[in-house]
Amino acid sequence: MVHDVRSLADGERFDAWTDAVSSSFVPLAAESDDPDLRRRFTGSLVSQALGSALVTTVSGSAVTVARTPRQIAAADPGFVKLGLQLHGRGVISQDGRTSAIDPGDFALYDTTRPYRLSFAGDFRQFVVMFPIDALPIDRDRLARVTAQRFAGGAGLAAIESSLLGAVSRQLDTGPLPAGQSLSDAVFDVLGAALAERSGTGDDAAGRRALRVRIEAYIAAHIGDAELTVARIAAVHHVSVRLLQKMFEEREETVSGWIRRRRLEAGRRQLAAGDAPVSMIAARWGFRDAASFTRAFRREYGVAPRDYRAAIDR
């Protein structure tokens, strides 16, 4: 669903944008104290359902939106919302707390209770609206962390910001594949971040989030020939045995997972150009062309040069 009010006349855009926000999310009241800003207001929404969640990129001029007790009494679907700031600064208030969020930061708010979002200037935000069941905490515990800033620069919040940022960029390019859902990683990492913030440990969520963090680390260092199981374990302050066990739960080994990712990257590069096999091997962490060729043949049943030749035909 795309709602773009920029083509409307001055004086019509504010109300049209307000209607679009309320119909896409839950009923909200939009406010602007400056008649001139209200007259010149512009903005847009792009929304798509992903499984039980709704993802939306919303942009606009300076505005305040609020969910009031009267609106809640009239329509209360019971959703939770996460707002990832993409541009500008937002200020969220709920449950007696107020926090400012800058690009990369996010905050949660509960549609079953009043809240207020203010933007002093042009803004862009990626919003995920989902049922409470997606999280490993209940509403009482959620109320401890609403309207708190989760800084997108470090830790679990940085992973969550990165995961959601990738979805928002996909949505920017066009509709996402039909039937696609938000990945389990999005809610695993969010659940672990919430449990960490609220002081209520959730071992399962924490373990899944740690695995996502480890996989992100491996992906960032996949081309490093010195990437070892021991180094990965040390960086994440876990034992080698625990690291291996986390992958064994999915019938994987750490080294096997790394090798497959390296081979997949090498195969994509073989198909995309004419770089020498030795250069591709070095780029993706293999000691030499011979070791890359042996591993490639074992995985795909053909040597790298023959694979490329078959694509070029």
Side-chain angles (χ1 to χ4, degrees), residues 116-139:
R116 190 177 186 85
L117 263 170
S118 297
F119 304 96
D122 292 350
F123 73 94
R124 192 161 172 264
Q125 193 175 75
F126 183 65
V127 180
V128 184
M129 188 167 70
F130 54 91
I132 184 70
D133 310 9
L135 296 177
I137 62 175
D138 57 27
R139 290 195 185 276

Side-chain angles (χ1 to χ4, degrees), residues 8-279:
L8 299 178
D10 285 1
E12 297 179 1
R13 292 189 293 267
F14 186 84
D15 289 340
W17 183 87
T18 301
D19 290 343
V21 168
S22 289
S23 62
S24 295
F25 299 125
V26 290
L28 298 166
E31 306 166 9
S32 178
D33 294 332
D34 187 329
D36 186 51
L37 285 177
R38 187 183 177 106
R39 182 181 61 80
R40 293 185 291 105
F41 184 91
T42 188
S44 66
L45 290 87
V46 180
S47 301
Q48 184 170 338
L50 294 182
S52 62
L54 178 73
V55 296
T56 304
T57 300
V58 55
S59 64
S61 307
V63 68
T64 294
V65 295
R67 183 143 165 85
T68 66
R70 184 174 181 177
Q71 290 166 331
I72 294 168
D76 181 12
F79 290 120
V80 177
K81 293 169 73 174
L82 180 153
L84 172 69
Q85 199 71 13
L86 300 175
H87 172 75
R89 166 173 280 198
V91 177
I92 174 70
S93 300
Q94 189 173 50
D95 297 323
R97 288 180 296 271
T98 297
S99 298
I101 53 173
D102 293 312
D105 301 339
F106 66 86
L108 286 104
Y109 36 110
D110 189 340
T111 65
T112 68
R113 296 191 302 281
Y115 64 82
R116 190 177 186 85
L117 263 170
S118 297
F119 304 96
D122 292 350
F123 73 94
R124 192 161 172 264
Q125 193 175 75
F126 183 65
V127 180
V128 184
M129 188 167 70
F130 54 91
I132 184 70
D133 310 9
L135 296 177
I137 62 175
D138 57 27
R139 290 195 185 276
D140 288 341
R141 287 192 289 167
L142 177 63
R144 304 178 195 173
V145 294
T146 50
Q148 288 192 22
R149 171 180 176 256
F150 285 79
L156 294 170
I159 298 174
E160 184 72 3
S161 178
S162 176
L163 291 170
L164 292 175
V167 180
S168 76
R169 289 189 293 275
Q170 283 183 279
L171 189 62
D172 286 344
T173 63
L176 301 171
Q180 180 175 328
S181 297
L182 279 180
S183 71
D184 291 341
V186 168
F187 291 113
D188 287 345
V189 175
L190 178 58
L194 295 179
E196 181 180 77
R197 179 66 62 90
S198 65
T200 55
D202 184 327
D203 291 341
R207 193 179 182 90
R208 291 192 297 269
L210 175 60
R211 190 183 69 222
V212 171
R213 183 184 291 178
I214 289 170
E215 290 177 357
Y217 177 83
I218 291 172
H221 298 84
I222 199 70
D224 185 353
E226 302 302 322
L227 183 67
T228 64
V229 175
R231 172 177 153 190
I232 296 166
V235 166
H236 294 87
H237 309 291
V238 298
S239 68
V240 169
R241 177 61 194 136
L242 176 58
L243 178 60
Q244 296 283 22
K245 187 177 172 86
M246 290 173 65
F247 280 76
E248 286 170 6
E249 290 170 356
R250 298 183 303 165
E251 299 182 353
E252 292 259 21
T253 65
V254 182
S255 57
W257 197 87
I258 293 172
R259 182 177 60 256
R260 274 188 289 278
R261 297 304 176 276
R262 285 173 168 167
L263 287 169
E264 287 169 4
R267 182 168 61 88
R268 288 193 298 270
Q269 191 170 355
L270 281 167
D274 57 0
V277 171
S278 58
M279 182 181 298

